[in-house]
Every structure is written in structure tokens, then in C-alpha cells.
Amino acid sequence: MVGILCIYPAIDVHAEQVIREEGIGSQLTDTTEDRTNIREPGESDADELKELNIANTVTITYDNGNGEINGALRILITLTLIALAPILILLMTSFTRIIIVMHFTRNALNTQTAPPNQVIIGLALFLTFFIMTPTINTIRNEALIPFDAGQIDQAEAVQRAVKPLRDFMYPQTQMKDVRMFLDIAQIEWTEEDGVDAIPSSVLIPSFIVSELRTAFIIGFLIYVPFIVIDMVVASALMSMGMMMLPPTTISMPFKILLFVLADGWNLVIGNVVRTFY
């Protein structure tokens, strides 16, 4: 679609005057002796212009100089945002932490593909939308709506849209990760400078590293009770001489039973969501 819009040939439009006398066909107005303007530009006075409803020069101003974006350019921007949307969702929201914790939970239960990947990803997306709703509303009210109304330009709209994301990422980012990337980039920064002094190129990777660390810590805490069950079952099988029977086959029903009795999904999902508040 973008390629078609880019290579679509330009069409030249000319004003024409049809002269039917003596069988003469249509010709351009600027190549005939009979021209559309009765005088040279600038010679008519205000009364004549008002009477004839013509003007020597025409100036069109739309919405105080801020018109709508060209249709082809709007489509190009939309397709670009769609291509970047997965990266923004994966790395600049709560999606990373949630999907990793869900993955650890499934592996700890040893249920292989239950719940399936589609369910885990869908659950992570809806939880991400729930957590990011205040940030999304702020971006919409402060950046998207004013930009669409022509009140701000594109540069200011991008700056306003990035600020709520930065305000969300900074509290979830550990300071040692920020300082690590600041040292690598050789950027001087102190806590007195505030979050606005941290470049986005530093804050975003720091946030990603912090999210990975937090998700793995939560995953370890989820694994601990299930490892205890595996050890108990393995010891019982060894004491009975059933060494050829895989302990995971026997322990999996006990894991599921413990998870259900403890209302595990409520505990896991509820506590993961609360880590962002």
C-alpha cells in the first residue's frame, strides 16, 4: 500500500476554454488570445472586485494555518505506528514482567502447554491494558487530541506522549541499572537533576533490565513451594524403590491440587498487578 502511494503518478491539471466558433477545439486559456482575466493583475479596484466576485490574488487559511495531514502521509504514519506497536508494548509497558511470571508459573506446575501460549499472551495483554490505562488516557488527552485538533505540532505531540511513559517507567526502574547505562554512555547525572534529565535512550534499557530482574525474582518465589513438593515425592519414590518412575508424573497432580486450594491464579495475578502500584 505504501509503495502504491509513493509511485502513484502525478496528474497535471490545466484550465481550459472551449471555443466552438469555426470548429476550433479546446485550448489552454494561456495559449489563446481570449484570456479569462479582463485586466492585468493589480489594476482592478475594490468596488470592481466586489461586483465581479473575483480576486487578483487568493489566500486560503485553514484552521489558523494548521490543516489536516495529507491522506497518504496519514496512512504512512499509521502503518509506521502499527509496526512499532509490538516493540512499545513489549518493552515500555508492564507486559514483559507479566508474561515472564506467567511462563514461570506454568513451568512450575509442569503442565507443559496448559494454559496454552495464546491464553497466556491474551491474559498478559489485557492485564497490561488494565495497568496502563491511566498512562494511555494521559497520552490521549495531552498529546493525541491536541495534535489532531491542530493545537500543537508533531514535535510537541511526541514530547507530550513520551512523558507519561517515562513517568511510568521511572518508578519501576532500579537506580543501579540507570547508573550503569549512564556510566556506559558517560553522562553526568545526579538525583537532584530529576527524571527529566535522564535521556530516554538510557531510561528505556534500564527499565527493561529492571523488569527482567523483577520478573525472575517473582518466578523464583513461585518455584519454591513446587520444588518442595518435587523433593517430597522424589524421596517417597526412592524409599519405596520406585526409581524408574519419574517423580514429576506423581508430583504434578499434587502441584495442581495445591495451586487450586491456595487460589493460585488470584494470588499470582493479583500480586503481580499490585507490584505496579
Side-chain angles (χ1 to χ4, degrees), residues 1-2 5 62 67-82 144 147-150:
M1 183 180 296
V2 176
L5 294 174
Y62 177 77
E68 293 184 354
I69 302 177
N70 179 269
L73 182 59
R74 185 182 292 271
I75 294 175
L76 180 61
I77 294 175
T78 302
L79 293 177
T80 303
L81 293 177
I82 292 174
L144 183 59
F147 176 70
D148 193 55

Side-chain angles (χ1 to χ4, degrees), residues 2-265:
V2 176
I4 293 175
L5 294 174
C6 293
I7 65 176
Y8 191 83
I11 301 176
D12 296 332
V13 180
H14 304 279
E16 294 186 357
Q17 179 186 21
V18 179
I19 304 176
R20 300 188 181 276
E21 298 177 359
E22 299 179 358
I24 301 177
S26 62
Q27 297 181 359
L28 297 178
T29 57
D30 56 354
T31 59
T32 60
E33 295 181 357
D34 298 330
R35 303 189 59 84
T36 57
N37 57 318
I38 60 178
R39 297 180 185 176
E40 293 297 327
E43 294 184 356
S44 301
D45 54 21
D47 295 334
E48 291 177 339
L49 292 177
K50 184 183 299 184
E51 180 181 355
L52 297 175
N53 193 23
I54 63 173
N56 293 322
T57 59
V58 178
T59 301
I60 299 177
T61 302
Y62 177 77
D63 195 13
N64 195 23
N66 297 317
E68 293 184 354
I69 302 177
N70 179 269
L73 182 59
R74 185 182 292 271
I75 294 175
L76 180 61
I77 294 175
T78 302
L79 293 177
T80 303
L81 293 177
I82 292 174
L84 294 176
I87 300 176
L88 299 178
I89 293 175
L90 288 175
L91 302 181
M92 299 177 63
T93 64
S94 58
F95 182 84
T96 302
R97 184 187 305 183
I98 295 172
I99 195 68
I100 292 177
V101 171
M102 294 295 103
H103 176 76
F104 274 119
T105 303
R106 186 177 67 178
N107 286 350
L109 289 171
N110 197 28
T111 54
Q112 302 300 326
T113 58
N117 292 331
Q118 294 86 345
V119 175
I120 291 179
I121 294 174
L123 178 61
L125 285 173
F126 275 102
L127 291 177
T128 300
F129 178 76
F130 173 79
I131 295 170
M132 300 298 297
T133 295
T135 303
I136 295 173
N137 290 336
T138 303
I139 294 174
R140 178 177 178 272
N141 295 330
E142 296 185 1
L144 183 59
I145 294 179
F147 176 70
D148 193 55
Q151 299 175 359
I152 58 177
D153 56 11
Q154 183 177 358
E156 186 176 356
V158 173
Q159 184 178 2
R160 290 189 180 186
V162 172
K163 189 178 184 305
L165 287 174
R166 290 171 56 89
D167 294 339
F168 168 78
M169 291 187 293
Y170 182 73
Q172 310 298 330
T173 305
Q174 298 189 14
M175 190 55 59
K176 61 181 179 180
D177 296 326
V178 175
R179 295 191 181 278
M180 178 185 68
F181 284 99
L182 288 173
D183 293 339
I184 295 174
Q186 298 181 355
I187 299 176
E188 296 293 335
W189 180 84
T190 58
E191 294 185 5
E192 290 77 11
D193 297 334
V195 62
D196 294 335
I198 302 177
S200 297
S201 58
V202 172
L203 183 59
I204 293 175
S206 303
F207 170 76
I208 296 170
V209 174
S210 298
E211 286 293 285
L212 292 175
R213 181 185 294 106
T214 304
F216 272 73
I217 292 174
I218 297 175
F220 169 76
L221 297 177
I222 293 174
Y223 254 103
V224 170
F226 298 107
I227 291 177
V228 173
I229 295 178
D230 285 333
M231 294 176 62
V232 172
V233 172
S235 299
L237 292 176
M238 288 291 292
S239 63
M240 290 185 296
M242 304 174 65
M243 294 177 294
M244 300 301 295
L245 183 63
T248 55
T249 304
I250 305 300
S251 63
M252 186 177 67
F254 292 99
K255 292 179 181 179
I256 296 175
L257 178 62
L258 174 64
F259 196 73
V260 172
L261 292 178
D263 198 4
W265 288 117

